[in-house]
Amino acid sequence: MAIIKPFRALRPQPQLAKQVASLPYDVLNSAEAKIAAQGNSHTFLHITKSEIDLSDKIDIHSAEVYAQAKDNLDAFIKRDVLFRESKPCYYIYQLIMNGRSQTGLVCVSSVDDYENDLIKKHEFTRPEKEQDRINHIKTTGAQTGNVFLAYRNHAAVDTIINNWKQAKSPVYDFIAEDGIQHSIWIVSDSDIVDSITAVFEKEIPCTYIADGHHRAASAAKVRKQISGEVPEGANYFLTTLFPSNQLYIMDYNRVVKDLNGLSKNDFLAALSASFDVVSMGKQMVKPEQLHTMGLYVGGEWFLLTAKPGTYSNDPIGVLDVSVLQEKILGPILGILDQRTDKRIDFVGGIRGLGALEQRVDSGEMAAAISLYPVTIDQLFAIADSGNVMPPKSTWFEPKLRDGLLTHLIND
């Protein structure tokens, strides 16, 4: 069964919450983070993307960057931008995007559960991204990034959370610059806290990583690397748990740097062995069903429809991310491992198809591929079967904000 605990969060003063809250570290690149942080000395980007306070020429994975993150975190605490909760609590986190609301429970989850597969995975991780978070956690002593977990919705948990929201006022409630409303309630009543813990321990058999595979893997590896007695805080990692009936998965698209020596026409000819290829001209292609993809190359969009017999019906093989790897990336483009090959990059669906066009039209990339999103039922089925999808197969929206609730591991 799922082991979760309340924790003493490091969190911002209520009047500073909107300024502190920042998009997750892996959503923004360094240049975007630097622009987002302009004029805001309180943004948590100074901790999660601390390279913005150093030379533009610095290696973002250098020891100096992690040391700067630690210095900035200490400064936020010293300036009383952030303070530590007086007792362990649970937190309720509600996000509203485009009128759609979803509510999760912020807690710390067991590293043992992660290692024993009671926290189920559905994606492979990328080694360099793991190492980045390991270095950040070890240097700062903090888990600054939230792992987004899902669980099959449970009536008792729904009731507890809904009753608390109706009876109490949120400690944070603001609309971010992107129009998403963020509200957080503190659950401090000992009886309610114990009830929540008990429901998960007795009635929730497992949870599923929806977003944050690298953060979870890094937390587990940090614990293994601690010499001597392991602090209790390192046995847990920061998570927000959402019931499955509230989750929304978006597409997660790809861009590739080159066509592996092929011309545009040769590339299209190679694709025709496994796909029906139809030119759509300038009309962007957002796939509306499984086994269809959009391709943007040479200033032109194409609709790709996988031919019957080119994919299997097992939980992994039926997915378009698998068809993409097995029929395009591997055999045609020579990209055998999406985790390590520098010729491929990933673009979350929230950025829109225009972002794909922009990266190709700029000359940075040679082609872009838009995909149909994985469903929550597929995610659960894959995790339950013990299988793993290719990396970056799911993109969840809206994104939790960093900085509102941080877990310190050295307790």
Side-chain angles (χ1 to χ4, degrees):
M1 294 296 178
I3 302 300
I4 65 170
K5 285 180 58 175
F7 69 109
R8 293 177 57 214
L10 183 69
R11 62 184 183 87
Q13 299 290 348
Q15 70 274 15
L16 298 177
K18 183 175 181 178
Q19 292 173 263
V20 171
S22 68
L23 286 167
Y25 78 98
D26 54 353
V27 172
L28 301 171
N29 62 35
S30 299
E32 291 169 334
K34 195 160 194 172
I35 293 171
Q38 286 179 352
N40 184 1
S41 62
H42 297 324
T43 176
F44 209 67
L45 290 171
H46 292 292
I47 295 158
T48 56
K49 302 287 288 185
S50 54
E51 68 268 18
I52 66 176
D53 295 322
L54 300 169
S55 167
D56 291 341
K57 298 179 180 179
I58 197 165
D59 179 356
I60 64 172
H61 299 125
S62 67
E64 187 178 353
V65 171
Y66 303 114
Q68 184 68 49
K70 170 64 172 170
D71 289 346
N72 288 349
L73 180 61
D74 290 345
F76 272 44
I77 296 171
K78 185 176 182 179
R79 286 160 40 204
D80 205 30
V81 175
L82 302 176
F83 71 97
R84 191 80 183 279
E85 200 77 72
S86 61
K87 62 179 288 189
C89 299
Y90 286 121
Y91 303 84
I92 297 170
Y93 192 160
Q94 175 185 276
L95 303 99
I96 299 177
M97 182 177 74
N98 299 328
R100 185 180 186 277
S101 174
Q102 66 183 50
T103 301
L105 178 72
V106 188
C107 60
V108 289
S109 293
S110 168
V111 170
D112 286 340
D113 278 4
Y114 176 84
E115 294 184 335
N116 294 328
D117 205 33
L118 292 176
I119 298 174
K120 295 182 178 291
K121 306 89 174 167
H122 69 270
E123 287 186 6
F124 285 117
T125 55
R126 302 178 77 178
E128 74 279 7
K129 291 194 68 175
E130 273 191 26
Q131 191 59 53
D132 170 58
R133 285 304 92 185
I134 290 170
N135 294 341
H136 195 275
I137 294 170
K138 289 175 68 175
T139 303
T140 62
Q143 291 165 356
T144 59
N146 216 314
V147 178
F148 187 152
L149 298 183
Y151 63 96
R152 288 186 169 87
N153 48 290
H154 190 284
V157 179
D158 291 346
T159 298
I160 292 171
I161 289 177
N162 290 335
N163 288 346
W164 191 271
K165 286 169 58 179
Q166 291 173 10
K168 307 291 183 179
S169 298
V171 65
Y172 304 139
D173 189 15
F174 63 88
I175 297 176
E177 67 287 340
D178 56 4
I180 297 173
Q181 183 174 351
H182 299 261
S183 306
I184 291 180
W185 290 258
I186 302 173
V187 182
S188 56
D189 181 274
S190 297
D191 290 339
I192 300 297
V193 166
D194 291 345
S195 295
I196 293 171
T197 304
V199 171
F200 275 86
E201 185 176 0
K202 296 176 181 178
E203 300 185 38
I204 306 294
C206 62
T207 57
Y208 302 80
I209 298 178
D211 191 13
H213 283 80
H214 295 92
R215 281 160 271 174
S218 300
K221 290 182 178 179
V222 165
R223 185 177 73 166
K224 287 182 179 179
Q225 295 176 16
I226 294 174
S227 58
E229 185 176 354
V230 176
E232 180 64 9
N235 289 318
Y236 294 84
F237 60 104
L238 181 64
T239 58
T240 300
L241 282 63
F242 285 90
S244 56
N245 58 357
Q246 295 194 31
L247 296 183
Y248 175 53
I249 307 179
M250 297 187 72
D251 44 306
Y252 212 158
N253 304 312
R254 271 62 170 165
V255 286
V256 294
K257 288 184 179 294
D258 61 71
L259 300 182
N260 200 27
L262 299 174
S263 67
K264 174 183 172 180
N265 288 337
D266 288 341
F267 180 48
L268 293 172
L271 289 174
S272 66
S274 299
F275 299 89
D276 292 324
V277 182
V278 177
S279 174
M280 305 299 288
K282 296 296 184 181
Q283 180 183 338
M284 295 180 179
V285 177
K286 184 176 180 63
E288 297 182 353
Q289 60 184 9
L290 198 62
H291 301 146
T292 61
M293 304 178 193
L295 168 69
Y296 184 67
V297 61
E300 187 177 4
W301 279 95
F302 296 86
L303 173 64
L304 309 181
T305 303
K307 295 179 178 179
T310 60
Y311 50 86
S312 66
N313 290 316
D314 64 78
I316 297 293
V318 75
L319 300 177
D320 285 342
V321 287
S322 298
V323 177
L324 171 68
Q325 179 61 50
E326 295 170 8
K327 300 300 179 182
I328 300 177
L329 297 181
I332 299 177
L333 296 180
I335 297 174
L336 303 180
D337 188 346
Q338 295 184 55
R339 296 179 299 161
T340 58
D341 199 309
K342 303 300 183 183
R343 296 166 55 218
I344 189 168
D345 199 6
F346 309 87
V347 182
I350 192 67
R351 292 181 178 264
L353 299 183
L356 302 180
E357 285 191 347
Q358 183 179 22
R359 294 189 69 175
V360 174
D361 291 344
S362 70
E364 176 195 4
M365 296 292 179
I369 300 165
S370 57
L371 297 170
Y372 185 72
V374 174
T375 68
I376 191 65
D377 287 339
Q378 288 174 323
L379 185 154
F380 282 170
I382 290 162
D384 286 339
S385 70
N387 287 304
V388 182
M389 287 189 282
K392 304 299 183 184
S393 297
T394 56
W395 181 278
F396 286 84
E397 283 292 340
K399 293 294 184 184
L400 303 168
R401 289 301 193 265
D402 286 346
L404 294 176
L405 299 165
T406 297
H407 173 51
L408 302 182
I409 69 168
N410 293 322
D411 287 347

